[in-house]
Structures are given as structure tokens and as C-alpha cells.
Amino acid sequence: MGDRSQPAHLPRPGALSRPAHRLRQVWTVLWGAPRPWEWTVVTAYLTPAEADLFRRLSPGDQRHSLDVFWRLVRAGQTERTLLAAALLHDIGKTAGRLRLWHRVVYVLLRRLWPGLLDRLAAPAPSGHWRHSLYILLHHQEIGARLLARTGSAEQVVALVAGDPATGPEGVDWLRWADDGV
């Protein structure tokens, strides 16, 4: 997800600076995990097949997805499909083994040399660093395909794909919450 201006109808993001925000993300990837009681939230909002996919996320990605969910809840969102999409928005990252250095290189390339990222990210053999960049770059589309095959609701699939046809407000809310944690 590239830099976007915040839609006017959404609350302002937190005051974290970009470096502090990135350090928090690294912390979450390395040491984050759901709290034991949060599994009841996961099973309440996701179908059994979706919950199985959620369990395939790394503990840090599970924590991040729950943080996105809770940010939406704190903002007053109650739409079940939006909240389910929040839990599943990074599910495409389960398509390969992503290491911290893949994520760091991806963020740097996306920010500083997006054209180079596009050239380097390739559907190479699984485990190859170029494949990991490909997964990170295309995780929304990969996740939407996984969810469609799992039988997820069409609107959840579309929200995870970032499809504005679902209604731009839902996609905007999901991006806002994701960019803020």
C-alpha cells in the first residue's frame, strides 16, 4: 500500500512518526502475538475455514491483523464484513515464508525505488527472495484468491482485494486502520 492522503471522512491517524511507526511494526513482527482471549474474537467473526487461514499467519501478522480490527472497533465500526476483512487483510502473506529482512527490503524499495521493486518482485520459486517480494507486493490479490477458494463472502474477498467496487468507504476504513497500526 503506497502513501495515500487520508479521506476527509475518516479520523486523523495517530501522531506516531514514520520511524517510530516502523519500529513498532518490527516489534510486532518479532514479538507480537494474539492474547489468548482474542481467539474468541477470531472465531466469532470468521468462518471455520477463515479461522484456519488466520492461524497460518505468523504470530506477528496475527497481532497486526487484530490491531487493525481493534482500531476499527475503537472508531465505532460494527460492520461484520469490514471487521472480518480486517482480520484477513494480510492473509495473502501466508503464500510464502516471509523473513524480517524481506519486509525491510520491501518497505525501503516501495518508499525509495518503487520501479525497482516492481522489477525485482517476481513469482520465482518458493523460498527465493524475489518470490517473497512478490508476495509482499501482491498479498492483497493473493489473499483475495485464497479467500474466494475458501468460500468467504464476496464482500470480504473484495475488501481484502482493495476493490473500491465494494464501496469506497469500506476500503478507505480498512486502509486507514491498516496504515495506523
Side-chain angles (χ1 to χ4, degrees):
M1 300 175 128
D3 288 340
R4 295 179 176 81
S5 343
Q6 181 182 330
H9 65 280
L10 298 181
R12 303 292 290 157
L16 285 178
S17 68
R18 289 316 269 174
H21 178 75
R22 291 297 178 201
L23 285 173
R24 183 174 182 270
Q25 287 179 323
V26 168
W27 179 269
T28 299
V29 166
L30 292 176
W31 295 287
R35 296 170 194 95
W37 61 267
E38 287 179 306
W39 288 103
T40 59
V41 171
V42 170
T43 57
Y45 280 86
L46 302 180
T47 68
E50 291 168 342
D52 287 343
L53 283 177
F54 184 87
R55 285 182 189 91
R56 289 176 39 197
L57 286 167
S58 70
D61 284 332
Q62 291 172 350
R63 172 78 266 143
H64 168 74
S65 295
L66 282 157
D67 290 346
V68 171
F69 172 92
W70 291 120
R71 188 160 200 240
L72 288 168
V73 169
R74 283 191 307 274
Q77 293 300 311
T78 59
E79 176 58 46
R80 290 187 68 82
T81 55
L82 177 61
L83 296 173
L87 293 171
L88 299 167
H89 76 281
D90 279 343
I91 210 69
K93 293 179 181 178
T94 64
R97 188 163 180 181
L98 303 176
R99 304 221 182 256
L100 177 60
W101 76 266
H102 296 136
R103 295 168 192 256
V104 170
V105 168
Y106 170 78
V107 167
L108 290 173
L109 288 173
R110 186 183 72 183
R111 182 81 169 146
L112 302 173
W113 301 288
L116 180 59
L117 174 61
D118 289 339
R119 289 191 300 280
L120 291 175
S126 185
H128 192 281
W129 64 269
R130 292 183 74 175
H131 182 68
S132 297
L133 291 178
Y134 179 84
I135 290 169
L136 289 165
L137 185 61
H138 298 286
H139 74 276
Q140 287 180 283
E141 300 88 20
I142 295 167
R145 285 194 302 269
L146 276 170
L147 292 169
R149 283 197 303 265
T150 303
S152 295
E154 285 181 32
Q155 188 165 9
V156 171
V157 172
L159 283 166
V160 167
D163 182 359
T166 60
E169 190 170 293
V171 172
D172 287 348
W173 273 106
L174 188 56
R175 286 181 183 149
W176 169 81
D178 190 23
D179 288 346
V181 296

